[in-house]
Amino acid sequence: MDGHRCQYRRDDHGWSALMADWGLPVLHLLGTLVITLNLVFLVDGRIFPVGAGGFSTTESHRKVFSLLTQPAMTSILSLALVLHRLAGGSWLTLAGWRMAFTVLEVNGASLSELGRMIQYRCPPFWTHKTIAADRGTIFLPTLWIITLLATPSLFTSPLLTGAVNWIPTELYEKSDNVVDIPEPGPSRGWNEHNDWDNNRVYEVYSAIGLASMATSMDFYLNETATYKRALPWLPSIPSGSTLANVTIPVFRINQLQPVREKHELSLDFNTVQSVIDDSRNPNQNFSKSGNLFGDGTDVGRIAIVHTKPWRASARIENPPPGVQENIYKYPAPTVVDEKTVVIIGMTYLDPCSPNDSATFGSFLDFFTFEYDQSCYVFFNLDYTAGVTTCEDCKVQSNGITSGGMVQVNETTVDIQPHPLVETALAMVPDVLFYTQIANSSFAPTFNNIEGYARGTLSTAYQASWNSLARRFASDSVAQTTYHRPVPALLAHLSKERVTAWCALNILFAISAVLLYVVRRRCESKAIVSPWLSAIFLDTSAVISNDTTGFCNARKADEQDEKMRLRLRCRDDGAGTDAYKHPVLVEEAMSRKRDYSPLADHELMEWRGFPGGRVENKGTNTYTEE
C-alpha cells in the first residue's frame, strides 16, 4: 500500500445506493406479500380446470379460473417460490460477508470464526475483550438474533406448497345441443289407466322397480331430503352432466310426529283402524279390489291413511271435432297439502309387549295397537306433494343403459302444481306394500323408525309419479339444454400454513433491518459485491508478518485458524472526499503462535495508524511511530 492514495468513489449515497445495499431483502419482503395476497384473494376458494383451459362456463356463482388450469397454477406457484428463495439465498450469502466484515471491524475474529460466518452465517460465540464495553453487551447477541431470524426462511417452501389443498370437483361447459324430455299428458296410456285395473297393476309394478332409485341416505334424519326423476332416454349425454328445465316430483314432509297416546291421532281412530282390520277398505284400493295392507303380514309394512277412494276420471262429453271419443279428462294441475296418519306394522304373530322388535329395536314410547297377533305404531303426518322445476340437475347414470336419473335437494325446492299429483298419491299405498315385500329400497330400519317412515313415504310417491310420467308420455316434449362436466380442482387454502410461512419470511426482513442497524456503527462501506471486496481488501499487514507460508496455503491448519484478525480503517485523505480504507491486521505479538489478545493501543497496525508499530524488515523488530 506504500505510495497508494485511495480515491474516494461516492457510490454509497442516495436512494440508488441504498437499494443496491438493501434491495434484496426489500424484494424478498415484497415477494412474500405478493405471494401471500395472491394465494388468499386469487387462489383460495377458486376452481381450476385440470385439462386445457379456454372453455366457456356460465357458472358465475362460483369463482372459476377458466383460462388458467390447475397444473399451470401449481407451476406458477413453484416458480414464484424458486424466485423468492433465490432472492432470500442471495441476500443470506451477502449478509454472511457483511456480517464477517462487521465482526472483523467491531469485534475481531479468528479464521475459524470468519469461515463459519461466511459459509453458515454463524457469528462468534463470545465477545473479544478488546471490544469496547458499550458494544460488547449487545453486539454479538444482535448478530445471533439476526441469524436465528433469517435462517428459517430457507426451509419454508414445503410449508407453502402444502398449504394449497386441491379438492376434486367439476365445472360445466355448455353444450350446443338440446335434449328432448317426454312429458306426460292425455295419451293412450291415460285412457287405459282409467279403463283397466290390470294397467294400474302394471303401473304399480313399474313403480316398485323405480323405488330402487332410493339410497340409504334417503332414510336418515340428519340427511337433506332429495327428490329424483327417472329419465328413460338420454342420448350421448356424459354421466355427471347437468340438465335444465326438468320436472321432478316432490313429497315434502312438513312434520312426522310419533303418536304416544291414542287421543293424539290426527284422524278418527275408527278410520285408522279400518286400514288395519278391513281388507276391503275402498280408500286404500288403487290397482285391485282390496286393501293390501289389511292382508299383509310382513314386519315393516307401512300405510298412509287415505280418507277417500281412488276413482277413474270422468269422460269428456261432446268432444270437439277431431278429438277421439270416449277419452278421459286429464286432471288439472294441483298441489296437495294434507294431514293424515301413517301406520307401521312392527311385528307379526308377536304381541306388542315388551315393545321391542328385532327389526326396529325398541318402540316403548309409541302408542301401540294389537290386532290379529300383530303390533302397530302410528305417526301423524303433515305433508305437501307436488313437483318442482330443476334448472341445474346432475345426470346420474350407470353407463350401461341409455337412461339416467336426475335429482334435486330439498334446500332448492319450490313446490309447483302438476296433473299427476293426486293420482300418484292414490297409488302410494299399493307401492308401499309391494316395495316392502320386494325390499326395493334397502331401507335401514334398526333404531331408525322415523327415518324409515320418512324415506319410505317419499320414495313411494316419487316412484309412483315417475311410473305414471313414463306410462302417460305423450307427443309433448320439454326441450332442455345441458352442460358437460369438465374435471376440475377446488383450491382450499390452509390459513395456518400460509400465516406461518408469511410470518417466518417477515422475520427474515426484520433480520435485514437489524443488520442495517448494526452496520451503521461501521466506518467501512457495506459490501455489495463480495468478490470485489475480497479482491481489493488490503491484507498486506498480515502477509508481511508471515513466516510460515500461510500466505500461499490452500487451507488453514489448526494453528492458522486460531489467528485473530481485525479490520481497521486508515484515514486516506482529507476533506469531504476522505475515505477510511479498510485494512486487515493481526491481533498478535508475533507469528510464533502466541495469540494472546492485546489492548487496542498495543495492536500491531499498518503504517498510517497513530500509535502503531512498523516492522523492520529482516530483523524481526518493530519501531514505534
Side-chain angles (χ1 to χ4, degrees):
M1 293 294 294
D2 287 336
H4 170 70
R5 183 177 182 81
C6 184
Q7 301 298 317
Y8 178 40
R9 180 179 294 183
R10 295 181 59 86
D11 58 358
D12 59 346
H13 291 73
W15 282 104
S16 60
L18 187 64
M19 290 307 299
D21 289 349
W22 306 97
L24 283 175
V26 172
L27 182 63
H28 186 272
L29 178 61
L30 289 177
T32 299
L33 297 178
V34 168
I35 292 174
T36 301
L37 294 176
N38 275 278
L39 285 176
V40 172
F41 294 105
L42 296 182
V43 175
D44 186 30
R46 289 188 180 269
I47 299 172
F48 297 82
V50 174
F55 64 90
S56 60
T57 178
T58 58
E59 295 191 70
S60 59
H61 61 290
R62 297 203 289 176
K63 299 178 180 178
V64 178
F65 262 130
S66 59
L67 297 178
L68 189 62
T69 63
Q70 185 271 337
M73 182 63 240
T74 304
S75 299
I76 291 174
L77 178 59
S78 298
L79 177 61
L81 287 176
V82 168
L83 296 176
H84 186 262
R85 177 102 189 275
L86 182 61
S90 299
W91 167 249
L92 285 176
T93 299
L94 186 58
W97 280 91
R98 290 189 183 178
M99 189 182 296
F101 273 61
T102 302
V103 171
L104 283 173
E105 184 174 345
V106 176
N107 181 67
S110 67
L111 281 180
S112 59
E113 292 173 339
L114 192 61
R116 286 197 300 269
M117 282 186 284
I118 294 176
Q119 294 181 17
Y120 310 114
R121 275 75 68 186
C122 182
F125 293 100
W126 54 80
T127 304
H128 194 248
K129 69 180 185 180
T130 60
I131 191 172
D134 61 331
R135 292 181 175 184
T137 54
I138 64 171
F139 176 67
L140 288 185
T142 303
L143 293 183
W144 273 105
I145 292 173
I146 291 172
T147 299
L148 295 176
L149 292 180
T151 303
S153 67
L154 294 173
F155 310 99
T156 56
S157 292
L159 192 63
L160 193 63
T161 53
V164 184
N165 301 309
W166 297 102
I167 303 172
T169 184
E170 288 180 335
L171 294 174
Y172 295 94
E173 180 183 13
K174 185 176 181 180
S175 172
D176 296 330
N177 301 323
V178 295
V179 177
D180 294 335
I181 299 179
E183 288 296 311
S187 60
R188 175 182 174 182
W190 168 248
N191 292 321
E192 293 175 346
H193 163 86
N194 286 279
D195 279 333
W196 311 103
D197 60 0
N198 62 322
N199 282 281
R200 296 191 293 278
V201 171
Y202 169 80
E203 292 158 9
V204 170
Y205 289 166
S206 175
I208 296 169
L210 291 169
S212 61
M213 294 185 302
T215 67
S216 60
M217 294 298 100
D218 294 315
F219 298 89
Y220 289 108
L221 300 179
N222 59 348
E223 296 291 336
T224 302
T226 58
Y227 308 112
K228 304 175 178 67
R229 169 81 182 271
L231 300 174
W233 186 64
L234 289 175
S236 304
I237 296 181
S239 179
S241 299
T242 60
L243 297 176
N245 192 30
V246 180
T247 302
I248 296 180
V250 175
F251 188 87
R252 175 182 289 164
I253 296 178
N254 304 316
Q255 187 177 36
L256 187 65
Q257 187 69 35
V259 175
R260 308 186 190 283
E261 299 290 342
K262 182 178 180 179
H263 65 83
E264 295 178 359
L265 287 167
S266 58
L267 297 177
D268 178 71
F269 182 72
N270 292 330
T271 302
V272 176
Q273 182 178 345
S274 66
V275 177
I276 299 173
D277 60 15
D278 185 358
S279 62
R280 303 192 65 81
N281 186 322
N283 296 337
Q284 304 299 116
N285 175 32
F286 173 79
S287 60
K288 293 183 177 180
S289 57
N291 170 22
L292 295 173
F293 186 82
D295 289 335
T297 58
D298 294 273
V299 175
R301 60 192 182 280
I302 184 171
I304 181 172
V305 178
H306 287 333
T307 57
K308 58 182 180 180
W310 173 86
R311 290 188 176 89
S313 181
R315 294 182 183 273
I316 298 178
E317 298 180 0
N318 301 320
V323 177
Q324 180 184 351
E325 295 184 356
N326 297 323
I327 62 174
Y328 294 89
K329 292 181 180 179
Y330 199 64
T334 185
V335 171
V336 173
D337 195 343
E338 188 177 51
K339 294 181 179 180
T340 186
V341 173
V342 175
I343 310 171
I344 302 179
M346 304 298 288
T347 65
Y348 175 67
L349 297 179
D350 239 345
C352 289
S353 180
N355 290 49
D356 190 77
S357 165
T359 302
F360 290 97
S362 174
F363 51 95
L364 186 63
D365 293 336
F366 285 82
F367 162 67
T368 58
F369 175 72
E370 192 171 322
Y371 174 77
D372 195 18
Q373 302 184 64
S374 297
C375 187
Y376 301 87
V377 298
F378 308 89
F379 287 90
N380 286 327
L381 172 66
D382 180 357
Y383 71 90
T384 303
V387 298
T388 190
T389 301
C390 179
E391 299 296 342
D392 188 23
C393 296
K394 181 177 289 189
V395 176
Q396 301 177 12
S397 172
N398 57 15
I400 300 175
T401 66
S402 60
M405 179 187 73
V406 294
Q407 73 176 33
V408 63
N409 292 330
E410 166 65 37
T411 53
T412 61
V413 163
D414 177 24
I415 297 182
Q416 304 162 2
H418 192 272
L420 297 184
V421 171
E422 290 187 336
T423 307
L425 285 172
M427 185 175 168
V428 164
D430 287 21
V431 175
L432 284 170
F433 179 79
Y434 286 115
T435 298
Q436 197 281 332
I437 291 176
N439 197 24
S440 297
S441 62
F442 302 99
T445 58
F446 195 77
N447 289 337
N448 189 41
I449 302 176
E450 184 177 348
Y452 171 80
R454 283 178 175 271
T456 303
L457 291 169
S458 181
T459 298
Y461 171 79
Q462 294 175 60
S464 300
W465 190 95
N466 275 284
S467 175
L468 296 174
R470 285 188 173 192
R471 177 65 175 157
F472 303 156
S474 64
D475 294 334
S476 175
V477 296
Q479 284 197 333
T480 179
T481 59
Y482 71 94
H483 291 73
R484 291 185 292 265
V486 178
L489 292 172
L490 170 66
H492 176 71
L493 202 63
S494 171
K495 302 296 193 304
E496 295 79 8
R497 281 176 169 262
V498 174
T499 301
W501 179 85
C502 185
L504 289 174
N505 283 281
I506 289 176
L507 293 180
F508 181 94
I510 294 174
S511 73
V513 173
L514 291 177
L515 184 58
Y516 173 78
V517 173
V518 170
R519 281 289 312 167
R520 288 177 62 86
R521 69 176 58 188
C522 297
E523 296 178 308
S524 60
K525 290 182 179 180
I527 293 176
V528 176
S529 301
W531 62 270
L532 191 63
S533 300
I535 289 176
F536 288 101
L537 178 63
D538 186 355
T539 59
S540 303
V542 178
I543 294 175
S544 63
N545 195 40
D546 174 54
T547 60
T548 64
F550 174 68
C551 61
N552 59 84
R554 292 194 304 163
K555 65 176 184 177
D557 60 24
E558 184 178 353
Q559 293 296 323
D560 293 331
E561 290 182 349
K562 296 178 181 179
M563 180 173 60
R564 291 193 59 82
L565 301 173
R566 287 287 294 273
L567 196 68
R568 311 295 286 177
C569 290
R570 183 186 57 170
D571 191 354
D572 226 4
T576 57
D577 290 336
Y579 175 57
K580 294 186 177 180
H581 200 297
V583 178
L584 196 64
V585 299
E586 183 181 356
E587 287 186 352
M589 282 295 295
S590 69
R591 295 289 292 165
K592 297 179 179 179
R593 310 305 185 191
D594 177 14
Y595 297 107
S596 56
L598 303 177
D600 276 350
H601 70 278
E602 295 177 314
L603 291 175
M604 182 194 73
E605 298 172 338
W606 188 245
R607 188 185 306 276
F609 287 97
R613 295 181 295 178
V614 180
E615 177 188 11
N616 297 316
K617 305 289 185 179
T619 63
N620 289 330
T621 60
Y622 300 89
T623 302
E624 298 287 347
E625 273 195 328

